Amino acid sequence: ICERLRALRPDVIITQSQCEVCAVSERELLDIVRDWLGTRPDIVSLAPETLADVFKDIGRVAASLGLAGGGQALVDDIEGRMTAIAEKANSLAVRPSVACIEWIDPLMGAGNWMPELVELAHAANLFGETGRHSPYLDWAALSAGDPDVILVCPCGFDIARTLAEMPALAARPGWRELRAVREGRVTIADGNQYFNRPGPRLAESLEILAEILHPEAFDFGHAGTGWRPYA
């Protein structure tokens, strides 16, 4: 990768410092730039924790590429789409409770921007706090919360990979007694393309949530590709 970067001689490098498990850390990248490239590209390091942070980072990336106006237009479009969904969802009588699962073993809820998405979709988020990293989740707490809907979207996993991992969750004692399981409201979503990726596709992530939580009111066509029920 270092030789490739040296050959490309980039003017801008975009990285992230929110999770060092997911990608090369900012410090590692700085070391590569200093020791291998022999140039000083503009390094844009992203560390979003909330939707507002994501929108700000879109603007930072756009500005670094000389496209500040386009970045603002994109943010305006995303916010407009989200607002329209939230206004329609908030007019609905039903507000289901939701457990968002971001990792299966060990069990983890979903933090950062995920609670905001759940609230925008007119639902009660049971685990995880806005702007805070995803918390470890005790199985007893999930059982006690007995959510109306369980959304499983492990970080970095597509639907096929999540389905392969689901037996570990479904084997938990009391799984079949959970309300969401009994009522067929356990869903698998593509966390890699949508929920875990802090970028423009969070607009589609909200669309997916709206379809899952309020199927009588929303249909954006994501069923089967962005999400599917778990039987």
Side-chain angles (χ1 to χ4, degrees), residues 21-223:
V21 174
C22 299
V24 175
S25 71
E26 182 179 7
R27 178 166 295 280
E28 289 173 317
L29 186 58
L30 288 171
D31 289 342
I32 290 171
V33 170
R34 183 183 66 243
D35 297 336
W36 285 85
L37 297 187
T39 62
R40 297 182 64 85
D42 183 15
I43 297 177
V44 183
S45 184
L46 312 178
E49 296 179 336
T50 65
L51 287 178
D53 294 337
V54 174
F55 299 149
K56 181 179 178 180
D57 279 347
I58 290 173
R60 291 175 58 216
V61 170
S64 72
L65 300 174
L67 299 168
Q72 186 58 55
L74 176 58
V75 170
D76 291 344
D77 177 69
I78 295 169
E79 290 187 308
R81 291 165 63 189
M82 287 185 165
T83 297
I85 293 170
E87 289 177 349
K88 183 175 179 178
N90 286 331
S91 70
L92 303 175
V94 177
R95 186 171 183 261
S97 60
V98 184
C100 297
I101 306 300
E102 195 162 290
W103 201 248
I104 293 173
D105 189 13
L107 194 62
M108 298 177 71
N112 297 312
W113 48 85
M114 280 296 293
E116 292 179 277
L117 291 179
V118 173
E119 290 294 327
L120 286 170
H122 191 54
N125 185 67
L126 296 184
F127 307 103
E129 297 180 45
T130 298
R132 299 179 68 100
H133 286 299
S134 298
Y136 289 103
L137 181 57
D138 186 77
W139 176 252
L142 179 60
S143 296
D146 200 17
D148 297 310
V149 177
I150 296 176
L151 170 65
V152 188
C153 52
C155 186
F157 284 9
D158 60 14
I159 290 175
R161 177 62 188 276
T162 301
L163 285 171
E165 301 291 334
M166 277 299 292
L169 184 59
R172 296 269 190 167
W175 168 259
R176 293 185 179 277
E177 283 69 51
L178 292 174
R179 178 185 294 109
V181 178
R182 297 196 317 269
E183 298 181 358
R185 302 201 71 185
V186 178
T187 56
I188 308 296
D190 190 330
N192 184 52
Q193 290 195 71
Y194 299 105
F195 297 93
N196 312 133
R197 191 177 294 275
R201 278 194 160 184
L202 288 182
E204 281 84 357
S205 301
L206 181 57
E207 291 176 352
I208 290 170
L209 268 176
E211 287 183 344
I212 292 169
L213 299 172
H214 307 289
E216 75 288 352
F218 294 98
D219 182 4
F220 294 100
H222 295 296

